[in-house]
Amino acid sequence: MNLFLRKTLDRSKPNRRDFLVQSGCAGLGITSAVNTLAHMQLMGTAAAQGAGSDYKALVCIFLNGGYDSNNLLIPLAGSARTHYDSGRGIPTYAGGSGGIAIPLADITSAGTQITPANPVSDYEHASGYIGADGNGNRLAVHPGAGSLKTLFEAGELAFISNVGVLTQPNVTRANFGSLPASQKPPQLFSHSDQQVQWQSSIPDKPFQSGWGGRLADLLDGIHNTDPDALSMMVSVNGFNSFQVGVSQQPYIMGTGGVTPFSGYSGGSPSRNYGTGLVYANANQQPYKQYDVYKWPGVSGSNYQNNNAGWRLAALEQLIDMSHASLFDEAYTKIARNARVAEGVVGEALALTDAGNSTTTLDSHFTNAFNGTGINGLTNGFAAQLRMAARLIVGNTALSNKRQIFFVQLGGWDTHTSQIPVLSGAARTDQGYYTLMLQLTCAMKAFRDSLVANGMWDKTLAFTASDFTRTFTPNKTDETGGSDHGWGGHMMVMGGAVNGKRVFGSYPDLTVNGGIDVQGNRGRWIPTTSVDQYAAVIAKWFGVDNSQLAAIFPNLSRFNDPFNPASRLQFVNFSA
């Protein structure tokens, strides 16, 4: 557990007002990439805007390693399917030559082969069929992504086609080689560089902050006004670039919740989580600090009346002592903040604590993974989303009106063994297939748990990844995989999503032509920039049009994502 509480009285970590005053006087932008004019615009609009009373949660699902979205959203018919079969290669699972394409037989309900010559109605019986995009491409989802189809057909999930990092529009196969380096994303097919560029949205500048961090910088003082609330940003998967802000930093935690000091549990809780006794009334106790002088057993005490509670009370009295030395005082202040943060999070988690190491959300994760061979309660990625769901449900204890979460599923660098291997009726789920099950079942469980608690309409989850992968495989048998590509398909889900639609532009799957940026590997030039994709998400979260340039300084280079012609209206901004 880290020590980041959102605000303290320590002016070395200024609050939002300090941040605006100091940066305004200095005439400097949020980052070196955001100019002074844009930042002054941010200050003016932010200062004039009143605090909102509604709660919203944003969840970044980062697919680390570059997930192959060419095998997530699969064409079923026409020229797109012809290109798919020839570019990816139809595999022969039992051995012999093949590729990494998903045969049409694998996405039909009856397992019967379908060919493009059959009537359109035949495709509508395919188990993975989701419909046609705006250009008439008939599409299906991966055989392991049945949960996505369920969410899609419920109108709660949408796909955005061919999104990627760009520094400018109008990049083509013809001009790519002649463009100066300054007009192309640097280190285009590098994992680490593209992860940072996706999470910063400013690929043509040295990294300074993430767009999630800049969102928090802007909105924290507007929507989160409690001076002792938890950080607006929570990472359930360690440090990341997305949540790096200027004045705001993430609270980083694990999937196990809060961890008491060793030796202070005594076999029973030392803290009064979930009883309303963790904090005193704000009018009586400034900034809701623990009242460390109310001993266990006293009315309103923060401590259980047991040996562990008495030991913890004594320890926190020592922590609360004042020190003449500024160094000693700063050191103990970190410890105090850590204890307060632990109490805030513990109180929030108590609202979904069912006892006996279970939660009230467990059944949703168990049910979503039923029949997959994966345990929804022990799977690491599912545990991340379950923790995010618990904090969203328990948001009243966190005193936040806006929250930004970061979760991550790795393993998508599928250079080998991307498709299942079939031997007779036996299938070995390897690589991509198992990852797809983990991702999509956990997303479904996350949705179900929030629906059951009335928080789904207030939540928006979106995917991001380094890049998609090359269309052509690197081998011709079942051990083959794909290599580093560029533009790929993203997903958004939530109660406010304009679901059951495929937004953006599905790529021309012509290898060695069309939007294949170079060579004959099928690396698609993005048709939607990260800036456009992220701006739509940010607007739903509470950023108005006049503030977007301060968060996404490159946005003006691209077509307006809010113009209906852009086909990027994937959320309902009034929801």
Side-chain angles (χ1 to χ4, degrees):
M1 178 181 297
N2 84 340
L3 310 181
F4 286 110
L5 197 67
R6 184 174 70 86
K7 292 180 181 176
T8 72
L9 295 180
D10 181 1
R11 291 310 190 205
S12 68
K13 296 179 179 178
N15 61 24
R16 179 179 163 69
R17 184 175 290 105
D18 297 331
F19 168 63
L20 293 175
V21 171
Q22 293 170 7
S23 55
C25 292
L28 298 176
I30 289 181
T31 70
S32 61
V34 182
N35 60 36
T36 303
L37 179 60
H39 185 45
M40 292 299 291
Q41 181 185 54
L42 181 153
M43 289 192 296
T45 54
Q49 188 169 338
S53 59
D54 59 316
Y55 173 84
K56 288 186 176 181
L58 199 60
V59 183
C60 174
I61 301 174
F62 199 82
L63 307 178
N64 189 297
Y67 95 108
D68 195 330
S69 63
N70 288 309
N71 266 8
L72 170 69
L73 208 52
I74 306 166
L76 289 178
S79 61
R81 182 68 202 191
T82 300
H83 288 311
Y84 181 81
D85 287 337
S86 61
R88 303 229 99 180
I90 299 176
T92 304
Y93 289 132
S97 63
I100 56 174
I102 304 298
L104 285 169
D106 283 7
I107 53 176
T108 64
S109 57
T112 303
Q113 182 73 40
I114 290 178
T115 66
N118 284 350
V120 168
S121 60
D122 283 351
Y123 294 102
E124 295 172 353
H125 296 297
S127 61
Y129 176 71
I130 60 169
D133 70 355
N135 294 320
N137 293 298
R138 307 189 71 77
L139 303 170
V141 292
H142 186 275
S147 295
L148 293 185
K149 180 177 180 179
T150 300
L151 294 174
F152 184 87
E153 293 187 335
E156 299 173 1
L157 181 140
F159 295 94
I160 297 86
S161 291
N162 202 22
V163 186
V165 171
L166 288 167
T167 58
Q168 66 168 44
N170 303 318
V171 176
T172 67
R173 178 180 173 85
N175 69 17
F176 182 80
S178 61
L179 288 175
S182 61
Q183 296 181 27
K184 294 182 284 192
Q187 304 298 319
L188 190 55
F189 308 122
S190 158
H191 283 296
S192 58
D193 291 281
Q194 294 308 299
Q195 288 168 9
V196 170
Q197 291 173 32
W198 248 101
Q199 294 179 34
S200 74
S201 85
I202 312 175
D204 53 349
K205 298 289 184 181
F207 177 78
Q208 295 289 328
S209 62
W211 65 268
R214 297 194 296 275
L215 270 178
D217 285 334
L218 172 62
L219 297 178
D220 184 72
I222 298 173
H223 293 286
N224 293 355
T225 56
D226 189 322
D228 211 32
L230 192 69
S231 170
M232 179 186 284
M233 299 180 289
V234 176
S235 172
V236 197
N237 192 269
F239 179 80
N240 61 85
S241 299
F242 171 69
Q243 292 179 316
V244 174
V246 176
S247 65
Q248 303 298 317
Q249 300 301 330
Y251 176 81
I252 300 175
M253 63 181 298
T255 58
V258 293
T259 304
F261 285 158
S262 177
Y264 291 86
S265 62
S268 60
S270 53
R271 185 76 76 196
N272 279 323
Y273 294 137
T275 64
L277 300 177
V278 174
Y279 300 112
N281 184 282
N283 295 327
Q284 301 170 347
Q285 191 73 13
Y287 305 109
K288 293 186 178 179
Q289 297 287 343
Y290 291 123
D291 186 346
V292 299
Y293 299 103
K294 285 188 177 180
W295 292 105
V298 174
S299 176
S301 173
N302 300 300
Y303 309 98
Q304 295 281 0
N305 190 11
N306 54 31
N307 289 337
W310 280 92
R311 287 196 300 271
L312 185 61
L315 172 67
E316 291 189 341
Q317 281 199 10
L318 293 175
I319 291 176
D320 198 58
M321 292 176 64
S322 299
H323 299 269
S325 166
L326 293 178
F327 177 84
D328 288 343
E329 183 64 18
Y331 181 84
T332 57
K333 185 172 289 184
I334 292 174
R336 292 173 201 153
N337 287 345
R339 301 309 291 152
V340 174
E342 182 256 353
V344 171
V345 175
E347 185 79 352
L349 295 180
L351 298 179
T352 54
D353 188 351
N356 299 317
S357 300
T358 63
T359 81
T360 57
L361 309 181
D362 285 354
S363 61
H364 302 294
F365 285 81
T366 298
N367 294 340
F369 281 87
N370 186 37
T372 65
I374 300 172
N375 188 324
L377 300 183
T378 60
N379 177 263
F381 178 67
Q384 292 178 53
L385 278 178
R386 186 166 69 253
M387 178 55 67
R390 294 184 67 188
L391 292 177
I392 291 171
V393 173
N395 74 87
T396 53
L398 301 177
S399 300
N400 288 337
K401 297 298 183 183
R402 290 290 187 276
Q403 287 185 282
I404 302 172
F405 294 90
F406 181 87
V407 299
Q408 184 167 234
L409 177 61
W412 296 94
D413 198 14
T414 51
H415 289 281
T416 61
S417 303
Q418 185 164 322
I419 60 173
V421 176
L422 295 187
S423 178
R427 183 183 72 198
T428 301
D429 292 339
Q430 56 185 8
Y432 188 91
Y433 194 95
T434 301
L435 286 167
M436 192 57 64
L437 286 174
Q438 293 180 64
L439 171 65
T440 61
C441 291
M443 289 170 66
K444 176 65 163 53
F446 178 73
R447 175 265 182 199
D448 291 346
S449 62
L450 292 184
V451 167
N453 287 277
M455 300 301 294
W456 186 232
D457 288 345
K458 302 177 183 296
T459 303
L460 182 71
F462 66 95
T463 62
S465 187
D466 325 11
F467 34 64
T468 195
R469 308 188 72 79
T470 56
F471 195 57
T472 59
N474 50 31
K475 290 185 180 181
T476 59
D477 59 26
E478 69 272 12
T479 67
S482 51
D483 303 319
H484 302 176
W486 195 355
H489 310 310
M490 297 301 144
M491 296 173 277
V492 291
M493 67 174 187
V497 168
N498 293 325
K500 207 172 183 179
R501 293 176 61 186
V502 179
F503 293 88
S505 298
Y506 192 80
D508 174 357
L509 301 180
T510 303
V511 173
N512 203 20
I515 58 170
D516 185 354
V517 67
Q518 57 182 198
N520 59 358
R521 298 301 310 277
R523 288 180 166 128
W524 315 132
I525 300 169
T527 46
T528 295
S529 70
V530 170
D531 312 71
Q532 294 168 298
Y533 175 62
V536 176
I537 294 168
K539 184 173 180 178
W540 173 84
F541 199 56
V543 178
D544 65 37
N545 289 348
S546 65
Q547 299 166 333
L548 285 170
I551 299 174
F552 306 106
N554 294 350
L555 180 62
S556 61
R557 302 175 185 177
F558 304 95
N559 291 333
D560 181 4
F562 308 109
N563 186 321
S566 70
R567 298 193 66 250
L568 291 176
Q569 309 300 301
F570 54 81
V571 292
N572 180 359
F573 300 122
S574 62

